[in-house]
Amino acid sequence: PKPDLAVLREQVDHTTEWGQVLHSPIVEDHLLRIFTTKVKRTVWELHLPHGDEVELVLDQGNIEYGDKKTPISEIELELKSGDALQLFDLALALQQDIAMHIGNQSKAERGYALYAPQPSEAVKAESLKLTKGMTIEQAFQAIAINCMAQIQGNANSVAHEQDVESLHQMRVGLRRLRSALSLFRGVIQLPEALQQELDWLATELGTARDWDVMAYSTLSSFAGVLPGHTFVEDIKLAAIAKAQQKHETVSACINSQRYTRFILSFMRWVLGNNWRETATPQAQKKLATRLTKFSHNILLHLQERLHKHGKKLHDASPKQRHQTRIAAKKLRYATEFFQSLYPAKQLKPYVKALEKLQDELGWLNDATVAEHLLQELENEQPDLGHGINFMREYLASPKHRDKVILKQWKKFEPMKLHA
């Protein structure tokens, strides 16, 4: 019924701020219960056919704070002995018969959320640290897990709060993952079934993100171009409503059993090194080689590709600009994946210049996407046609961005990457 402060004090350095609070003589009488967790726990010790031992725990109950209550209905799988991949197989088998989702919050986190609700905080990619002693296979696993952590870290906010920034970061995580799969394609092949699910998720997130960008960013640029025109606000409100509809679609997607199966299946594939099953002897040998030469060759290749496209930026067509943007994006993600292998002083300005170039080229891509979305909006709401036509014409000729793009390209071009 009461916290054991003696034990807690042993765990916290008494010289720290919290350590001093815990050692204060008055703290014991001032501790108050914030929330209460009431759980009935059922435990099964499972002995699987191949000899693996798994503890399956079912928790059912509630977390309570005052009149507020949130239900608990969780299954937890813990490997006692054997192969950890059996946890994924067991979870997938259970999920076929019982509609379940992957839990991303602890009971304590959910309790504190009842006590003091906080606005959603989007999860960005965590710093990735690869070492020169890693093999190509080990590096891919680390990168894939890092990308999946960003995807899953934003899943709850996207599914239940329809948060715009969380959706953006979830999509970034997915794009980073797709980029990683492309970089390692020569030695690691994603099974077709998983590729289809990855493409499905990318399409759902991408569609919603495109409407977000147009509603909250692209259309805002018209405020200075057309001050006082009411149709600008009318079109923006219509776009926001459409974006919200797409968020509801994505929410259903993340809450679906299909999404849960994809996450479990993909992580089983990554942690089980399942690409070895279809890899050629040559590919298997390459997977076991050191990362350094592989990463350096990739960065040099991607940089050469970007320079090839970038040289044409002065009189580039929309298609050529799009190719340059894709090349910049791939190089940026690859550089961020492998940046721990290079001196920070060398990489930081390089990545920063890439980001700025990608942002400017991204604006042009957003304008192109917005043209198509505005046409879709006009088809649904013809009364907005006059204003939409003006906006589409303006977006179709964004000459005002050319000087900025060329300026960013000149800043990036002289930079050289050395091993």
Side-chain angles (χ1 to χ4, degrees), residues 239-354:
I240 289 174
K242 190 75 175 180
Q244 290 172 344
Q245 289 177 14
K246 298 301 179 182
H247 271 267
E248 291 173 3
T249 302
V250 172
S251 175
C253 161
I254 304 303
N255 279 313
S256 71
Q257 298 307 294
R258 182 179 181 179
Y259 175 79
T260 301
R261 282 194 298 272
F262 165 65
I263 298 298
L264 290 172
S265 300
F266 183 86
M267 288 309 300
R268 191 203 186 285
W269 178 76
V270 171
L271 297 174
N273 306 91
N274 285 19
W275 44 82
R276 294 178 185 175
E277 298 172 3
T278 55
T280 64
Q282 184 180 4
Q284 289 187 6
K285 184 177 179 181
K286 192 171 183 179
L287 282 168
T289 60
R290 292 286 179 249
L291 172 66
T292 311
K293 186 177 180 181
F294 175 82
S295 62
H296 185 64
N297 289 341
I298 282 179
L299 292 180
L300 286 179
H301 170 70
L302 292 177
Q303 183 172 252
E304 288 171 5
R305 180 184 292 180
L306 176 57
H307 276 268
K308 178 182 177 181
H309 290 298
K311 288 177 181 178
K312 304 173 185 177
L313 270 176
H314 185 70
D315 297 311
S317 65
K319 182 179 178 181
Q320 289 172 322
R321 283 199 177 105
H322 178 69
Q323 290 174 334
T324 307
R325 183 184 70 86
I326 295 298
K329 181 182 70 174
K330 288 185 175 180
L331 178 56
R332 176 188 168 187
Y333 286 153
T335 304
E336 289 175 343
F337 289 149
F338 300 130
Q339 64 182 347
S340 58
L341 305 176
Y342 297 87
K345 288 184 179 180
Q346 183 183 1
L347 264 276
K348 280 188 177 180
Y350 186 82
V351 172
K352 189 173 182 180
L354 263 177

Side-chain angles (χ1 to χ4, degrees), residues 349-369:
Y350 186 82
V351 172
K352 189 173 182 180
L354 263 177
E355 287 177 356
K356 290 184 177 179
L357 177 64
Q358 188 183 343
D359 286 345
E360 286 302 325
L361 290 167
W363 192 95
L364 292 179
N365 182 69
D366 294 341
T368 302
V369 171

